[in-house]
Structures are given as structure tokens and as C-alpha cells.
Amino acid sequence: MKALTGKSLFVTGTDTDVGKSVITLALALALEKAGYAVGVFKPLQSGAYYENGKLTAPDLALMQKFSKTILCGCSYLLQGECSPALAMKLAGTSFSMAKIQKDFNELQKKCDVVLVEGAGGLLCPVHFEKRLTMADIIKSLELPCVIVARSQLGTVNHCLLTDNMAKQYGLQVKGLLLNRFPQETNDIAVQHVCEEISAYTNTPLFCILEAGEFNAENLALLFQDKIDRIIG
């Protein structure tokens, strides 16, 4: 049996547009290259658009562009560039945590490893009346998570806030992933960001370099030597 078979991981972020989808894609491609049957699950996808007469999940469309064998699933596909809670309210859609759990479990049965990608950050609203956030979904699915962050000024505060909140929810944080980390920089804040974050948390740090040419091979290489530590 492969070492990571049966494992799953939730990918969240310090904010929206920090690169969760590309990080999830790169992890999925690295796992697939290592011989695993991979699934990618979006509990909630807002910002969906119509293509060929049906709603399409942009994050999963990106995944399927790079791999035809990675299995994809989504519980709630919603229009509107906003939080899932607002998108559901505007659409008149009711929310069920049980549906998300069921859909995740069904996908997990078909795969060796499932990656679950959140929407927005850890406290992105999921249901207003029940005051649920993305952190509640992670807790409900009983998954460890990684936190994706930008590699720029302000990252220390964003990382520590999200890391601390995740731990308040009782979540297992497998790592802080500093996305698109430059190999060389004159930015003093970025030069010392790992030192500063490590002074305040024991959560493992991973500097994820830019992929260069955006293709499956280069994306898989970003995590080729890290997947055991991040998912294991």
C-alpha cells in the first residue's frame, strides 16, 4: 500500500486570491505523478459561470485542464463573486453540512488521496443564520489543513492570525505555505519572513517557489519532495 493512501487534506488560505487553487493543483499533480488516484473536492464554489449551458466551477475547470484522471466534486455551485453564504442567500439555496460530508465521503471511496479546497480564508462565511465559516467545514470533515499565504509584506500578521484561529477551532495545521516565494529578493520583509513567523509558531513553514513555465511537470515539481511531510 502506498504510504499516503487514505489521507486527505484541506487547503485554506489567509485571504482570497492567495493561490489556493494553484497550490491544490500542484499538490494534486505531484500526488498523481507519485502514482496515487487523486480526488479534488470543493465543498462550496462561488463565482461559477455558465459554459455550454451549464454552471462551471472555475477552480475545478483549472484542475481538469491539467489532468483528465483527477476526480473532481463540488457540493454547492454558486454564481456571484462573493462569500458562499451571500451567494446562497441571493440564490435562495439552503445549506446542509450533511450533504458536504456525504459528497466528500463518496469521492474519498474512489480515490487514494482527496484534497479539499476551501473558499476565501478560514473565516469566510458559509451560513449566516448558523454563523458557520469555512473553519466549521474543516472541523466537520475532521481534516488536517494547510494555510496558503502570499510572500510579501503583511504575511507575518496574516499567517499568525489564521494559524492561531485554526488552533482555536481545534484544527490540525500541517503547514503554512508561502506561495510564489522568490528565489532572490531585495525585499527585507520577505528575506526575514520565515524567521519572524517561526518566532511565534511551531507550525511548519514551506516556501513554495514560482513554477516558472505554467505546465503540469513544473507544477508537480513544486511539491515532489514535500508531499510526504505535508500530507503524511
Side-chain angles (χ1 to χ4, degrees):
M1 179 181 288
K2 305 186 190 79
L4 300 180
T5 296
K7 302 281 186 178
S8 293
L9 181 73
F10 199 105
V11 181
T12 188
T14 56
D15 197 358
T16 192
D17 291 333
V18 293
K20 293 187 302 295
S21 296
V22 173
I23 290 293
T24 304
L25 171 63
L27 277 168
L29 292 172
L31 286 162
E32 188 175 54
K33 188 174 181 180
Y36 293 94
V38 185
V40 174
F41 179 57
K42 286 283 296 189
L44 303 113
Q45 170 81 74
S46 50
Y49 57 88
Y50 274 96
E51 186 173 75
N52 299 323
K54 66 176 183 178
L55 271 179
T56 299
D59 296 339
L60 298 181
L62 175 67
M63 193 70 54
Q64 291 167 334
K65 178 180 176 181
F66 282 84
S67 172
K68 303 301 181 186
T69 54
I70 292 173
L71 297 181
C72 296
C74 180
S75 290
Y76 291 95
L77 194 53
L78 306 155
Q79 290 182 280
E81 293 285 347
C82 56
S83 72
L86 180 56
M88 279 190 287
K89 181 178 180 179
L90 294 175
T93 303
S94 59
F95 173 79
S96 167
M97 190 72 82
K99 173 176 171 54
I100 288 175
Q101 292 167 334
K102 178 178 180 294
D103 292 345
F104 169 75
N105 290 334
E106 288 300 315
L107 183 60
Q108 196 175 42
K109 291 174 186 176
K110 302 173 186 176
C111 305
D112 296 326
V113 182
V114 176
L115 303 175
V116 184
E117 184 188 342
L122 193 69
L123 296 186
C124 181
V126 166
H127 192 278
F128 292 136
E129 287 75 18
K130 295 180 181 178
R131 301 186 69 178
L132 298 176
T133 68
M134 201 57 57
D136 292 295
I137 292 181
I138 305 173
K139 192 168 184 176
S140 173
L141 295 176
E142 300 181 335
L143 297 180
C145 66
V146 290
I147 298 166
V148 181
R150 297 182 183 91
S151 299
Q152 63 185 44
L153 184 65
T155 288
V156 174
N157 182 56
H158 295 159
C159 284
L160 295 177
L161 280 172
T162 306
D163 185 53
N164 286 337
M165 183 54 67
K167 289 168 182 173
Q168 284 185 42
Y169 268 88
L171 306 180
Q172 180 189 8
V173 184
K174 301 284 286 185
L176 291 160
L177 277 54
L178 301 181
N179 192 25
R180 301 184 68 183
F181 198 85
Q183 295 195 31
E184 294 183 11
T185 180
N186 293 321
D187 187 331
I188 190 170
V190 177
Q191 288 175 356
H192 294 274
V193 66
C194 294
E195 173 189 344
E196 291 193 272
I197 293 172
S198 297
Y200 293 91
T201 180
N202 293 323
T203 299
L205 277 170
F206 297 89
C207 295
I208 311 303
L209 303 178
E210 294 191 61
E213 187 179 347
F214 202 72
N215 58 45
E217 185 68 25
N218 286 347
L219 287 166
L221 284 173
L222 293 178
F223 286 100
Q224 187 169 272
D225 61 345
K226 300 178 181 69
I227 52 174
D228 288 335
R229 286 180 289 155
I230 291 174
I231 300 177

